[in-house]
Amino acid sequence: MKQVMNLSLYARINAYRRPFDADALSRSRDASTFMLSETLKKRLFAPMRLLLPFSVLLSILLSAWPVTAAAAPAVKASLPPFPVQLNGVELDQAHSRYPFIFYKDITYLPLTWNNLEALGLTYSWSKEEGLVLIPAWNRTAEASTEPPEQDLAVNVNPSGGLSAFVAAGPVAIGPESIDNQAEPYPFLVYRDVTYMPLTWRFAHELLGIDIRWGEEAGLQVIGGQSIVRSLIGEDADGLYFYSSHSGGPEQGMLRMDKDSLQLEWRSSGERDQLRERLAAVSLPLGGEPAELVRKERDLYYGDLKLYTFTDSDLWESNEWGAPVHTYTEYKLGDNRAVITVSLRIPLPVAFYGTTTYNFLVRDGRVSQLENFRQRLSRVIPNPDGSAWIASAPLPARLSGYVPGSALLALLDADGTLHLVNEMLNELDVEALGLANPMLENPAAEDGSLYVILGGQRRDDYTFTPDTAGLYRLNTRLEPERLGDRNPAAQYFLDQDRNIYIQHRNNTVENWSSGELRTWYDYEIAGMGKQPQ
C-alpha cells in the first residue's frame, strides 16, 4: 500500500509534537521489541540462523528477562485505541499474541523476531550487557520481499487492564545505554516480550524508524525499507534511482514519474544508457578550458601574469609522477572572469591530492581568491552584476561527504568576495542543484539560491541544530529559513527548480508541491517488470 501524505501533515507528525492518538501524538516516540515465547525460540534457533549451540542460546535467554521481569513493578496498560500498521500491514490487535500496547499515552512495539525482521533491526544479548538493539544502518540491509508476518492466536485480547512490567535488565540501542528506571517511558515486558516505547529519540533518531499518523490508518510504523537507493538523475518527466533488489536485468533501476509519483522498473540496459547520457552533458555554468601560457614558473592569462608556481606546486612524486595541470575559465561578462588552476597528483582516488587556486580577472587586473581554495562546481552570474561562486560537497573516501567542502561565496559587482560560510559561521553551505547537469541555472530569476546549512559551526566545529535547515539566500545575503534539515536525507533540485527530498525507508518527498510517497519493499519487488 503506497503512502501519500500532505507535506504540512507530514511535517507536523515528524516533529512529534502530538501524541499517536487524537490527544497524544506528540508524546509518542519509538518502536521495537524482543520476545522469549516458544514461537520465537523456534524461529531464533532455525538451522540456517543458528550461530551458537541450541542449549547455550536457550540457557542464556531463559536466564534473563523472565527473572528480571518478575521482580519489576507491574504497570497497567491497554491496547491502542486506534488501528496500527507495520510497513503497510494493518495488525490484528485483537488476536495478536504480542500486540502493540498503550501506556501513559505512548504506543509500545513488541520486539518480536517478526517485528525486528520487518524493521530491518538486529540485536545481541548477554547477561552483562542485556539487550542491545542494532539499527539497520550499521549493516547491509536486505530487501524484504514479503509483508510482515503476524503472530496470531485464537483467543481475543482484552482491550484494557493489561499487566506489564518495567524491564529491569540492561537495555541499549547501538552504543547508547538506556537508563530504563529513569526513563519517563521505560521499556516494558509483557507476556515475556520486551516492549519499546515509540519515542522520537528511540525510534527515529537511534533506529531510523518512521512513525506517521492518519485519521483513518491510525499509527503507521515504517522501517527497514531499502530497495530505493541513491538518485541517478532525471529527465523532463521522471527521477531515476538505483535499486538494491536483484530481480534480473529487467529490474535494473527505478523510475518515479514526477507528476503522479508512481514508481516503475526500468532495465539495466536503460540504466547504463541514462548514465552515459548524463555523463556526456557539459555542466551549464561549469566553466570551459582556459588558454593559459606557462613561462618557466610563471603562468599567464593573455598578457596578465596569473600566478608563480612554488616548489611544492611543482613537486613530483616518485610513485605517481608530476602533478596534472587543469585550467578552467568561468566567464562573467563585463571584462570579468574567474580562472581556476588545479594541480592534481594522479592518485587512483578522485578529489585527493589536488591543490586549487582561484583568481578573479577584472578590468585588466588579477586578484587571488584567497578564501576559496577549492575546485569550483559553477560560477553563476546574477542580474544585479554579482556572481555566485560555489563548490558542491566532495564525496568522502568511504561514504558521505568531506566536512567543510560545501562552499559558497558571492562576488559582488565591485569585485569583493563574500564567503557565505564565514558570514553565517557554517562549516558547510550547500547550494542545491550544482551537480545536476539537466539544470541550466541553480539560481532563480532574481539570483536567489536554495541552500542547505549543515548546522556545524565553522569556527569551533560544534553543532548548532537550530541553524541547520533549508534556506533561500538572495544576493543581498539575507537567508530566509524554509524548513528543517533532515540529516539522513538527500536533497535534489530538478530542472524545473522543484525540490525533491529522498528520505529513508523508500520515501520521496516533493517539497515544492507538498506531496510525499512511500513504497514498501515487498510492493516494489512484486511490481510488473518493464519489457526491454
Side-chain angles (χ1 to χ4, degrees):
M1 176 170 54
K2 291 176 271 291
Q3 302 291 323
V4 184
M5 184 179 300
N6 181 274
L7 176 59
S8 60
L9 176 61
Y10 177 68
R12 292 200 304 272
I13 293 172
N14 268 312
Y16 294 94
R17 299 292 185 264
R18 304 171 42 200
F20 283 142
D21 64 2
D23 302 317
L25 183 56
S26 72
R27 296 191 301 265
S28 281
R29 302 184 136 185
D30 238 339
S32 51
T33 308
F34 177 73
M35 78 180 206
L36 289 174
S37 69
E38 293 301 322
T39 302
L40 175 61
K41 293 168 196 170
K42 293 177 182 177
R43 293 195 176 112
L44 282 175
F45 305 129
M48 294 302 293
R49 296 192 178 108
L50 190 58
L51 299 179
L52 292 176
F54 176 88
S55 59
V56 175
L57 280 174
L58 186 60
S59 64
I60 291 176
L61 292 172
L62 292 179
S63 65
W65 290 97
V67 176
T68 57
V75 298
K76 293 298 182 182
S78 64
L79 295 183
F82 42 77
V84 178
Q85 291 185 6
L86 178 62
N87 286 345
V89 174
E90 184 169 348
L91 302 180
D92 185 351
Q93 289 284 90
H95 297 92
S96 175
R97 296 181 187 274
Y98 312 101
F100 282 61
I101 63 175
F102 203 57
Y103 172 63
K104 294 172 66 174
D105 290 333
I106 296 296
T107 306
Y108 278 67
L109 175 126
L111 294 172
T112 64
W113 175 261
N114 286 341
N115 291 343
L116 289 173
E117 284 278 281
L119 294 170
L121 306 177
T122 55
Y123 71 94
S124 65
W125 194 92
S126 67
K127 285 186 177 180
E128 295 75 20
E129 297 182 357
L131 175 64
V132 179
L133 295 173
I134 304 170
W137 53 73
N138 285 355
R139 65 187 179 92
T140 302
E142 295 182 2
S144 175
T145 58
E146 299 293 334
E149 182 181 346
Q150 300 189 57
D151 293 296
L152 300 179
V154 176
N155 296 333
V156 177
N157 292 315
S159 60
L162 307 180
S163 292
F165 300 89
V166 175
V171 181
I173 300 178
E176 182 170 331
S177 297
I178 307 300
D179 186 355
N180 201 48
Q181 305 308 311
E183 284 287 333
Y185 308 106
F187 280 67
L188 299 177
V189 175
Y190 176 62
R191 293 181 178 173
D192 291 337
V193 174
T194 306
Y195 278 64
M196 188 180 75
L198 291 169
T199 63
W200 171 259
R201 183 166 70 94
F202 290 165
H204 193 81
E205 292 183 353
L206 298 181
L207 291 175
I209 297 170
D210 291 329
I211 300 178
R212 304 175 193 165
W213 174 262
E215 294 301 326
E216 296 184 2
L219 177 63
Q220 301 163 69
V221 181
I222 304 170
Q225 306 306 293
S226 62
I227 284 184
V228 181
R229 308 301 270 188
S230 60
L231 182 73
I232 303 173
E234 66 161 333
D235 58 23
D237 303 315
L239 300 180
Y240 297 84
F241 300 88
Y242 289 107
S243 165
S244 66
H245 181 57
S246 300
E250 294 181 351
Q251 293 184 333
M253 70 174 173
L254 291 160
R255 179 188 182 274
M256 188 195 79
D257 185 86
K258 291 181 180 179
D259 291 331
S260 66
L261 301 188
Q262 295 294 322
L263 204 65
E264 63 180 353
W265 284 110
R266 291 297 175 91
S267 70
S268 56
E270 291 174 294
R271 178 197 63 208
D272 296 339
Q273 291 173 8
L274 174 65
R275 294 177 59 182
E276 290 174 3
R277 288 199 306 270
L278 293 174
V281 177
S282 298
L283 193 66
L285 305 175
E288 300 175 353
E291 295 182 3
L292 304 184
V293 177
R294 178 178 168 185
K295 298 178 181 179
E296 296 183 351
R297 287 187 174 232
D298 295 332
L299 192 63
Y300 286 84
Y301 174 72
D303 295 332
L304 299 176
K305 187 170 80 169
L306 200 67
Y307 181 65
T308 300
F309 291 114
T310 65
D311 289 342
S312 60
D313 293 330
L314 303 177
W315 174 81
E316 296 187 13
S317 166
N318 290 333
E319 184 173 359
W320 304 108
V324 177
H325 291 217
T326 304
Y327 309 136
T328 308
E329 179 179 7
Y330 303 85
K331 296 180 180 179
L332 297 175
D334 298 327
N335 297 316
R336 298 182 305 162
V338 172
I339 308 296
T340 293
V341 176
S342 292
L343 313 175
R344 182 178 181 272
I345 298 174
L347 300 175
V349 182
F351 306 114
Y352 292 89
T354 300
T355 300
T356 300
Y357 303 105
N358 293 301
F359 304 89
L360 172 64
V361 178
R362 180 173 182 266
D363 297 329
R365 298 189 302 272
V366 176
S367 57
Q368 186 171 348
L369 305 180
E370 295 285 355
N371 291 334
F372 218 111
R373 294 282 303 275
Q374 186 168 304
R375 187 175 181 178
L376 308 182
S377 298
R378 301 204 201 194
V379 176
I380 306 167
N382 296 317
D384 61 2
S386 65
W388 295 110
I389 301 177
S391 288
L394 297 176
R397 185 168 299 182
L398 297 179
S399 63
Y401 296 96
V402 177
S405 63
L407 300 180
L408 179 65
L410 182 74
L411 184 67
D412 65 25
D414 296 329
T416 303
L417 187 74
H418 306 273
L419 186 62
V420 177
N421 301 64
E422 189 174 84
M423 181 192 76
L424 300 179
N425 195 17
E426 283 282 333
L427 185 63
D428 286 288
V429 179
E430 179 184 356
L432 295 186
L434 294 179
N436 182 6
M438 306 304 293
L439 177 61
E440 289 293 328
N441 190 342
E445 291 183 358
D446 63 356
S448 62
L449 291 173
Y450 288 121
V451 299
I452 298 291
L453 302 187
Q456 186 174 8
R457 291 171 60 94
R458 179 179 171 86
D459 55 2
D460 60 10
Y461 304 105
T462 58
F463 283 94
T464 54
D466 291 342
T467 66
L470 172 65
Y471 292 78
R472 181 185 289 112
L473 183 65
N474 61 28
T475 57
R476 296 184 298 279
L477 299 179
E478 298 167 336
E480 175 192 359
R481 186 180 181 89
L482 302 176
D484 294 336
R485 170 182 177 262
N486 182 348
Q490 298 296 318
Y491 292 75
F492 180 76
L493 187 66
D494 81 345
Q495 56 190 281
D496 297 317
R497 303 197 76 254
N498 294 311
I499 297 176
Y500 290 89
I501 307 175
Q502 184 180 0
H503 300 275
R504 287 186 296 228
N505 292 315
N506 296 345
T507 298
V508 178
E509 173 187 343
N510 183 336
W511 180 88
S512 301
S513 69
E515 294 178 281
L516 182 95
R517 180 65 60 89
T518 293
W519 302 268
Y520 301 110
D521 283 352
Y522 58 86
E523 291 179 319
I524 300 174
M527 288 191 313
K529 297 181 179 180
Q530 178 77 9
Q532 288 182 302

